[in-house]
Amino acid sequence: MLSGVAGLQPRQLAAQVLNFALVLSTAFMLWKGLSIVADSPSPIVVVLSGSMEPAFQRGDLLFLWNRGQNTEVGEIVVYNVRGKDIPIVHRVVRRFGGSEKEPLQLLTKGDNNNADDTELYARGQSYLDRSQDIIGSVRGYIPLVGYVTILLSEHPWLKTVMLGLMGVVVVLQRE
C-alpha cells in the first residue's frame, strides 16, 4: 500500500489530494445549498430512536423544509432542545397562538410515547416556539438509509477506518 503512494510522482500525488479535497468541498457546498433552500440549519436528519414508530423507524433519513411558519396539528417536526444539539423528531399535538400578537407555540409527542414532550423541553419551557426551536417539518424520507450514521456514532473507531479507506482509495487511484 505504501509502495503505491511512494511510486506516485509528486504531481500525481498532488492531483489525488486535490481530487479528494474537491469531493469534500462539493459535499459541503451541497449541504449548505440545501440548508439555504430549505431554510433549515439541518435539512437532512436521521431518526435515532423508536419514538416515532410506526411512522418512522430508527435509521430513516428525513428531508426537512422550514419555509412558512404555519405548522398544523398532526404535522411531524424536528426540533432542538435549547442547550442541547440533538434533533428530536415528533408530531405536533397542540398549537397555541400564531397571531401577530403572540408567537406560535407547539406541543409535541412521539407516536410511540405515552406522554407529551414537556419533560424533554428545556427547564421552564412548556411549549416549543415555532420560530426559535423548530428545525423544520418532515417533507419526505428514505427508509433505513441513515443507519450508517447511527453505526458511525455508536462505534467511533468506524469513522477512522472509513476515512482512512477513502483516503487510501483516492490516493492510490490512477487516472
Side-chain angles (χ1 to χ4, degrees):
M1 179 169 74
L2 290 176
S3 62
V5 173
L8 290 175
Q9 298 294 325
R11 183 174 285 195
Q12 289 174 320
L13 183 62
Q16 296 301 333
V17 169
L18 287 174
N19 280 338
F20 187 64
L22 180 65
V23 168
L24 290 178
S25 64
T26 301
F28 178 74
M29 288 188 314
L30 285 172
W31 179 263
K32 283 302 180 185
L34 267 174
S35 294
I36 291 168
V37 168
D39 193 27
S40 174
S42 187
I44 300 173
V45 297
V46 174
V47 178
L48 299 175
S49 74
S51 66
M52 278 303 291
E53 291 179 0
F56 298 119
Q57 308 295 318
R58 190 169 189 246
D60 288 353
L61 191 70
L62 306 179
F63 298 97
L64 307 182
W65 187 258
N66 201 30
R67 297 219 176 255
Q69 299 289 315
N70 190 21
T71 304
E72 299 297 330
V73 171
E75 196 170 324
I76 299 172
V77 297
V78 178
Y79 67 91
N80 271 339
V81 176
R82 294 177 193 167
K84 297 180 184 170
D85 195 26
I86 300 172
I88 298 175
V89 182
H90 282 174
R91 192 178 302 275
V92 174
V93 292
R94 284 200 187 131
R95 60 177 265 153
F96 305 94
S99 65
E100 290 182 19
K101 296 177 183 176
E102 53 184 322
L104 179 58
Q105 295 183 318
L106 307 170
L107 179 65
T108 56
K109 176 186 172 295
D111 289 358
N112 202 21
N113 293 350
N114 293 326
D116 62 39
D117 292 347
T118 51
E119 294 294 322
L120 297 176
Y121 300 159
R123 184 177 299 224
Q125 186 179 11
S126 299
Y127 304 102
L128 297 172
D129 184 321
R130 174 63 180 93
S131 61
Q132 292 180 359
D133 300 318
I134 303 296
I135 298 173
S137 297
V138 177
R139 290 294 181 247
Y141 77 102
I142 302 175
L144 301 175
V145 171
Y147 216 88
V148 173
T149 302
I150 294 173
L151 289 175
L152 291 174
S153 63
E154 289 179 352
H155 306 288
W157 59 270
L158 211 51
K159 286 181 192 175
T160 307
V161 169
M162 266 185 72
L163 284 173
L165 287 174
M166 286 176 19
V168 167
V169 167
V170 167
V171 169
L172 294 181
Q173 178 185 353
R174 306 263 180 174
E175 291 186 4

